[in-house]
Amino acid sequence: MRSEQEGGLAPPALMPLLRGLEDLKRIRSAHLAGSIAERLFANAWSALVAGAYPAEVARHTIRQALAATVLGDLDADVLRTAGVPDEPARAIVQSTVEAASAPLAPDLRAWLLDTATPLPAADPPRFVARLAAQPRAGATAPGRGRLILDPPESHAEHCALVATFGVLLAPSWGAQPETVFLAALAHHFHNALLPDSGFAGEMALGDWLAPAMARATALALDELPPGLRAATESACRILPDATTPEGRAFHAADTLDRVLQVESQLRAAGTSMGFVLREMELVHAGPVKPFQDAVLARMGLAA
């Protein structure tokens, strides 16, 4: 009953923002490798390995994620290269973060909007690339076929989104956001070695599941410098249950990301042409819209 009551503290007002963040798994750009979510994951570990504090890495990551819900990869550096002066470029990004952060808890929002100093960077650990290349299993259950919705997300994308969700949800349970963030980044370390067989595969391993996961996790931890390894192991103590504020924030984030991943793919598959043309304004207002509408109508594509 206690867990059920605590689950009732999840904030529905964040759902539009969480859905927008979920799309970061599917936004890519010509001049960059991987999705935005994969790069958030890699950049976070790069900064952590270089010695940045987890709280500062969390703040930078969430700010970048919030801006990307609208701007995608149009960050201040790209805007400056395209001829936008430095001050307007930074103002565009900042205003986007301010607008996206509107539904957040006031203290969290103030912390995110505070001026952040640049983070150090180092080569990310080897497990980062492996988790980016490792697909998630999709929905599996013992005795049933696997449900795979293409394209599958990677473990790096999943961990990046759970870490982001976890920080945004932390105030609901009074959790320390940096602890949730670091644990979420690390919670699939075992999949850097173990391909994801899903729930059905895990049940098939039986008594060998726990030692195999522990050994695979230890191999990933071995790639971290001692101080960061200790901090990561400490943060990961929240993972087994939802009895602590941090555990609740993590498990709420993990559950929401898993379900929203599937929801987003089902929503895309079920979208109608009428919705895309009328609600999403695929052919949007402008001087040539009457001509465009006439072409669509003539070709039988008007909604």
Side-chain angles (χ1 to χ4, degrees):
M1 185 64 177
R2 172 73 172 170
S3 294
E4 186 176 321
Q5 290 172 339
E6 290 290 343
L9 296 177
L14 291 189
M15 284 302 292
L17 175 57
L18 299 184
R19 286 190 172 101
L21 289 164
E22 193 71 22
D23 289 337
L24 302 186
K25 297 175 182 177
R26 288 166 280 279
I27 300 175
R28 298 171 181 267
S29 296
H31 65 296
L32 296 165
S35 68
I36 290 177
E38 283 183 5
R39 282 182 267 114
L40 289 174
F41 182 75
N43 291 342
W45 281 112
S46 172
L48 288 165
V49 168
Y53 292 112
E56 282 303 301
V57 178
R59 177 158 63 172
H60 272 262
T61 302
I62 306 310
R63 282 175 59 92
Q64 290 178 320
L66 292 174
T69 60
V70 174
L71 295 173
D73 278 317
L74 284 176
D75 59 18
D77 289 339
V78 171
L79 292 172
R80 282 191 288 265
T81 302
V84 180
D86 183 66
E87 186 173 342
R90 286 188 287 106
I92 289 169
V93 175
Q94 179 69 9
S95 65
T96 304
V97 174
E98 289 176 1
S101 64
L104 301 181
D107 288 349
L108 176 63
R109 186 169 188 262
W111 175 66
L112 289 172
L113 295 178
D114 192 18
T115 302
T117 57
L119 293 179
D123 290 337
R126 295 185 301 277
F127 62 71
V128 168
R130 293 198 296 273
L131 289 172
Q134 191 76 274
R136 300 264 292 156
T140 74
R144 295 180 179 272
R146 185 178 299 204
L147 175 63
I148 300 177
L149 298 174
D150 284 326
E153 62 180 326
S154 73
H155 280 83
E157 291 170 325
H158 170 65
C159 290
L161 264 294
V162 175
T164 300
F165 284 12
V167 171
L168 303 186
L169 293 166
S172 298
W173 291 277
Q176 291 293 323
E178 64 271 23
T179 300
V180 182
F181 180 80
L182 188 54
L185 285 181
H187 80 286
H188 274 282
F189 268 3
H190 57 282
N191 289 117
L193 172 66
L194 302 175
D196 191 353
S197 59
F199 177 50
E202 291 176 354
M203 293 301 96
L205 286 178
D207 291 341
W208 288 104
L209 174 64
M213 289 179 64
R215 175 58 179 160
T217 298
L219 291 173
L221 286 166
D222 285 344
E223 298 179 19
L224 298 177
L228 179 57
R229 175 178 181 148
T232 303
E233 289 179 307
S234 177
C236 286
R237 294 191 186 109
I238 72 169
L239 297 178
D241 55 55
T243 60
T244 64
E246 289 72 27
R248 292 177 187 119
F250 166 78
H251 285 288
D254 182 55
T255 301
L256 286 168
D257 179 67
R258 281 188 284 150
V259 173
L260 288 177
Q261 165 68 17
V262 176
E263 182 202 64
S264 67
Q265 292 174 300
L266 294 177
R267 188 171 69 246
T271 297
S272 69
M273 185 59 72
F275 174 81
V276 173
L277 287 175
R278 288 194 295 268
E279 303 298 325
M280 298 301 292
E281 298 184 87
L282 180 64
V283 179
H284 44 266
V288 299
K289 189 174 189 304
F291 173 80
Q292 294 170 321
D293 288 340
V295 170
L296 293 176
R298 177 67 176 170
M299 303 304 285
L301 292 172

